[in-house]
Amino acid sequence: MKVYHTACPRNCYSTCSFKVWADNGRVVKIDPQPLNKATPEGICLKGLSYVERVNSPERILQPLKKYEDKFRPITWNEAIDEIAEKLNYYKNHFGPHSILFYAASGMSGLLNGVSTNFWKMFGGATTVYGNLCWPAGLEATRLTLGENKHNVPWDLENAKLIVVWGKNPAESNIQQMIPMEKAQQKGAKLIFVDPRRTASSERADLLAQPIPGTDGILALAIAKILIENHWTDQKFIEQYVLGFEEFKKSVLTIDIDEASRECGVSVPFIEKMAHNIGTIKPMTLIPGYGMQRYTNGGQTTRCLLALSIITGNIGKPGACWHYADLQGDIFSEVKEPENYYPPETPDGIFRREIATARLGEDMFRMNNPQLKMAWVERGNPVSQNPDSNIVKEAFRQLEYKVVVEQFMTDTALEADIVLPAKTMFEQSDIISSYWNPYVQLRQKVIEPMGEVKPETEIYYLLAQKIGFSEDEIEANIPSPTDESIEKWLTKLLEPFPELTLEKLKQEPVLAPGLQEIAFSDYQFKTPSGKIELYSETAHHKWGVNPLPTYERTTEGHHNQNQFRFNLMSPNTKNRIHSQFGNLKSIKTIDPEPYATINLGDAQSKGIKENNWIRVFNERGELTIKVKTDASLRPGNIVIVNGYWHQEGACPNILSKGRETDMGHGTAFHDNRVDFEKVNQ
């Protein structure tokens, strides 16, 4: 057997390094890679399931074409010939913007840029702007601190107070639990803020359970108590913060009793949280990404960040706003979230007029030209985008669809041609992380199985068939050999002498220029050069208050309508969005979809454990088995993110396609539903 050093390219905090054992062209074992200080103790259940994933008998290993709703194998020549013919037809008759190119975050890597190169060569396409995940929080942090970075993960053990707000790292970021537990062993206190009681919050000294979408007012109420009790770092504020006096004037108008009623957290709990935050230093505040997927998500993030700022918990060991670290993204000219934004001046090549948040609705809206064809890779929009019934209808209105996939997902089922996608083991690439500070090589381990071709090779063959010159192809797409891929990656590494392909083959490498304690130089890339509690840019660019303020959500608890329950769709340890849940190893421990409801809410509706319920609102409905949980805050129902339509439990049937208040994010946690018992 041979062992290779590699790293997980999924859309996950950890981006774990691990060792892969291959025997006779097959992946057979995965082990920890302790050289990565952020992920030294191994990988999660999903990572271990890669052995099954790559070898699964359900993998798509050859091109498939739909004949009267049934897929049958075709040759690569047939597939390339037909796709090239369709591309030329739609371009010549309707223009390149009649083709939708949709790519998501299913697998990260620098070679993903080759797809953009191809569509530029082709003359353009229609693409989306915005993002499903985190741009509201990214933009809020960028407006306030100037950029998105945080202390290295292992610095967390230096904190004396850790506040985990709306995150469940025991399932979504298991490696973060290591320094967190080390900090607790040293005496650190741990506060969790989450409407759910989770495996993570079981470790907490204090658990606050606010009404979803009201985190902003809870944070501002804490800020008021901090200011009134002089638990602020005035020296830090005077030296590095713009807008504190305006912020102080604003929050002092808050009535704590009214804030308590609004967020559903008792005044004693608010006071206790404030006392801890105000008197224990250093503090690291770790917000999750779910809160900024509401219509008030950007402002909520600014409210939480204010707590770190006014207590001086920025730029020191153990003191950190631990939201996103893009220091490893050294290759992007424009970093997230700004690269999600539609251009102020269109480039004439890509038509970026479809909001990711409103994918289905905007696909129907496209004219001059209308959309005729779609190409989808690294994504599963038919289940993962909000208003998924409308997304499905929009795809079905298209005349022709190509999907590049490893498994027969909901989106693949809508395709006319499905092309087999590589796994992470079948082509080398370079990746970074938004949590750990390493640049890593996702090293090729085996030859592609079956008839699988990496996406770069698919584009290479298409470019040849369409008739681009060899010089143009060579400049934009690597040829389909390992040597060509390594040459391509080596070229991308040239600006960074600290990084070589040979070194990356041996170990993960810390990103060049890494600041292990973020903002320790107290340089802030804001217009004022200071931390901006008061942001004119936020007001002018997004139309929000220049100060962090609490704004009610569109479908919040204050709306007295027929839908009385907030739908929560958090991540789970068993899936990364819609990936992994189809594997037998995962189904062994998570065999079927279920919804979780509060025990009291269940009893009020005559519902018992394992009953079936109908969950519904004006956008759709689904029928699902139920579990009851007395520790879940009443008024909520939880259906985890990632269930497929094929499983009958896709939560995005119920979600509305709305943008967040800033960043062109997707507010698909902002949903009200009701449920009732049904016979099954």
Side-chain angles (χ1 to χ4, degrees):
M1 291 197 293
K2 288 192 66 175
V3 62
Y4 299 83
H5 302 282
T6 189
C8 178
R10 303 270 87 78
N11 184 357
C12 168
Y13 287 99
S14 299
T15 318
C16 296
S17 302
F18 49 88
K19 301 174 184 177
V20 181
W21 297 81
D23 183 22
N24 196 28
R26 290 177 63 86
V27 173
V28 295
K29 188 172 71 166
I30 292 174
D31 282 334
Q33 169 53 286
L35 294 176
N36 185 329
K37 290 175 64 177
T39 66
E41 296 188 16
I43 55 178
C44 68
L45 173 67
K46 300 178 292 290
L48 293 172
S49 75
Y50 273 127
V51 175
E52 178 190 352
R53 184 181 175 95
V54 66
N55 296 308
S56 172
E58 296 181 1
R59 259 193 82 185
I60 300 168
L61 296 178
Q62 58 193 129
L64 303 173
K65 181 177 179 178
K66 185 181 288 181
Y67 294 91
E68 297 179 352
D69 294 329
K70 290 186 178 181
F71 286 97
R72 297 177 183 172
I74 58 173
T75 67
W76 271 106
N77 285 339
E78 291 171 324
I80 294 298
D81 286 351
E82 181 173 316
I83 294 169
E85 180 184 348
K86 293 290 185 180
L87 287 171
N88 284 328
Y89 172 79
Y90 289 117
K91 178 181 178 180
N92 294 335
H93 287 80
F94 305 100
H97 292 165
S98 65
I99 300 166
L100 172 67
F101 167 57
Y102 187 94
S105 60
M107 186 185 296
S108 62
L110 295 185
L111 288 176
N112 290 339
V114 171
S115 60
T116 303
N117 292 354
F118 171 83
W119 292 105
K120 283 182 180 178
M121 292 167 60
F122 183 71
T126 292
T127 61
V128 299
Y129 66 87
N131 185 266
L132 289 174
C133 184
W134 62 340
L138 286 180
E139 179 67 351
T141 302
R142 186 185 73 88
L143 292 169
T144 307
L145 299 177
E147 58 187 313
N148 281 275
K149 59 184 179 182
H150 61 59
N151 298 3
V152 291
W154 49 91
D155 172 68
L156 185 58
E157 66 183 84
N158 295 318
K160 298 300 183 185
L161 176 66
I162 301 171
V163 181
V164 183
W165 202 312
K167 184 177 179 180
N168 180 18
E171 294 203 32
S172 64
N173 190 187
I174 61 171
Q175 305 286 354
Q176 191 167 58
M177 300 304 295
I178 300 169
M180 190 179 298
E181 290 178 352
K182 288 181 179 179
Q184 283 190 289
Q185 290 167 7
K186 295 177 182 180
K189 281 196 171 183
L190 183 59
I191 296 175
F192 267 81
V193 184
D194 197 324
R196 301 187 299 154
R197 186 168 175 170
T198 66
S200 303
S201 63
E202 288 299 305
R203 297 162 169 79
D205 297 284
L206 179 69
L207 170 63
Q209 294 184 284
I211 297 167
T214 66
D215 303 87
I217 191 61
L218 174 57
L220 293 177
I222 293 170
K224 178 181 181 178
I225 297 172
L226 294 172
I227 292 170
E228 287 181 333
N229 286 276
H230 305 289
W231 292 332
T232 55
D233 189 332
Q234 287 303 123
K235 184 178 179 181
F236 180 87
I237 291 168
E238 290 169 7
Q239 196 165 358
Y240 301 117
V241 179
L242 175 72
F244 174 73
E245 290 303 320
E246 295 92 333
F247 177 73
K248 175 180 177 180
K249 182 179 179 180
S250 174
V251 299
L252 288 180
T253 66
I254 292 171
D255 183 295
I256 299 296
D257 290 319
E258 289 181 1
S260 172
R261 287 190 291 271
E262 179 72 10
C263 69
V265 177
S266 70
V267 172
F269 260 61
I270 297 174
E271 292 174 339
K272 190 169 185 179
M273 290 177 68
H275 182 266
N276 280 301
I277 291 171
T279 62
I280 303 175
K281 291 187 177 182
M283 175 190 75
T284 291
L285 201 164
I286 308 172
Y289 296 157
M291 291 172 296
Q292 50 88 54
R293 294 179 189 141
Y294 289 83
T295 47
N296 62 2
Q299 284 294 80
T300 293
T301 304
R302 294 180 73 204
C303 291
L304 270 63
L305 177 50
L307 299 179
S308 293
I309 294 166
I310 66 176
T311 56
N313 280 294
I314 299 288
K316 305 163 190 171
C320 178
W321 167 254
H322 204 106
Y323 182 75
D325 191 2
L326 300 184
Q327 294 186 83
D329 182 16
I330 59 175
F331 302 98
S332 298
E333 294 182 12
V334 180
K335 289 190 178 184
E336 299 171 277
E338 292 178 282
N339 63 343
Y340 299 140
Y341 302 163
E344 294 182 6
T345 303
D347 61 11
I349 300 172
F350 291 105
R351 179 174 66 168
R352 296 188 70 183
E353 297 180 10
I354 294 178
T356 306
R358 300 186 300 269
L359 177 63
E361 180 183 334
D362 283 2
M363 285 174 67
F364 278 117
R365 184 177 55 81
M366 286 296 99
N367 283 300
N368 299 318
Q370 292 182 339
L371 294 177
K372 300 291 184 179
M373 175 181 169
W375 177 289
V376 179
E377 64 181 65
R378 292 176 272 128
N380 185 15
V382 169
S383 68
Q384 287 305 107
N385 288 60
D387 257 332
S388 59
N389 281 335
I390 294 178
V391 174
K392 187 186 297 185
E393 292 174 15
F395 270 87
R396 288 179 176 177
Q397 289 294 315
L398 299 174
E399 294 178 3
Y400 194 73
K401 292 145 286 189
V402 178
V403 175
V404 187
E405 252 300 349
Q406 294 176 13
F407 295 94
M408 195 56 71
T409 64
D410 292 327
T411 305
L413 285 175
E414 300 300 322
D416 294 282
I417 283 188
V418 179
L419 301 178
K422 69 177 182 296
T423 66
M424 61 169 286
F425 305 112
E426 294 164 334
Q427 186 181 45
S428 293
D429 207 343
I430 293 171
I431 62 175
S432 61
S433 169
Y434 49 83
W435 177 74
N436 83 55
Y438 290 95
V439 177
Q440 303 191 71
L441 180 67
R442 193 195 75 214
Q443 193 168 182
K444 182 177 179 180
V445 175
I446 60 172
E447 291 300 321
M449 298 185 68
E451 298 178 26
V452 171
K453 295 183 184 296
E455 288 84 340
T456 53
E457 184 173 354
I458 296 172
Y459 283 121
Y460 186 87
L461 296 174
L462 275 174
Q464 286 186 321
K465 189 66 181 180
I466 289 171
F468 296 114
S469 71
E470 288 300 320
D471 288 344
E472 190 174 8
I473 295 173
E474 183 179 347
N476 288 282
I477 306 174
S479 62
T481 66
D482 293 342
E483 293 76 17
S484 179
I485 294 298
E486 292 203 356
K487 183 179 178 182
W488 190 274
L489 296 176
T490 298
K491 183 75 173 176
L492 295 175
L493 291 174
E494 284 182 356
F496 310 101
E498 306 95 326
L499 301 174
T500 66
L501 212 56
E502 289 308 311
K503 189 172 184 180
L504 289 171
K505 285 180 180 179
Q506 300 304 315
E507 61 183 356
V509 180
L510 290 171
L514 172 69
Q515 196 175 57
E516 292 206 17
I517 305 301
F519 304 106
S520 56
D521 57 359
Y522 297 104
Q523 301 296 307
F524 303 100
K525 297 178 181 178
T526 59
S528 65
K530 291 188 172 186
I531 298 171
E532 295 197 352
L533 276 178
Y534 186 96
S535 172
E536 288 285 355
T537 307
H539 177 64
H540 291 305
K541 187 174 182 65
W542 303 107
V544 300
N545 195 304
L547 293 167
T549 56
Y550 170 62
E551 311 296 335
R552 284 177 160 176
T553 56
T554 299
E555 292 193 30
H557 66 99
H558 52 277
N559 290 330
Q560 300 299 318
N561 58 29
Q562 70 270 38
F563 306 117
R564 300 191 297 111
F565 296 88
N566 183 78
L567 172 64
M568 300 178 68
S569 52
N571 290 339
T572 166
K573 65 182 182 298
N574 301 321
R575 299 171 186 245
I576 296 180
H577 304 302
S578 65
Q579 299 188 77
F580 294 96
N582 62 308
L583 301 178
K584 290 181 180 179
S585 56
I586 302 297
K587 285 186 175 296
T588 299
I589 60 169
D590 189 12
E592 61 183 345
Y594 63 90
T596 303
I597 58 178
N598 172 268
L599 179 60
D601 290 337
Q603 290 174 343
S604 71
K605 289 175 171 282
I607 297 170
K608 296 181 180 180
E609 186 89 358
N610 291 322
N611 281 172
W612 289 83
I613 60 172
R614 183 176 76 98
V615 188
F616 60 93
N617 59 19
E618 72 273 25
R619 294 181 284 273
E621 65 176 61
L622 55 85
T623 302
I624 190 170
K625 192 175 283 189
V626 73
K627 292 185 179 181
T628 59
D629 183 354
S631 71
L632 174 66
R633 183 185 176 91
N636 295 287
I637 178 171
V638 179
I639 304 175
V640 298
N641 165 40
Y643 289 141
W644 295 8
H645 289 283
Q646 296 171 56
E647 298 175 273
C650 174
N652 285 318
I653 287 174
L654 305 162
S655 64
K656 176 63 178 173
R658 297 189 186 95
E659 285 200 352
T660 50
D661 53 354
M662 60 180 68
H664 298 298
T666 305
F668 59 153
H669 285 183
D670 197 344
N671 300 290
R672 305 287 287 179
V673 300
D674 207 339
F675 56 85
E676 62 186 11
K677 181 180 178 181
V678 296
N679 295 320
Q680 187 77 3

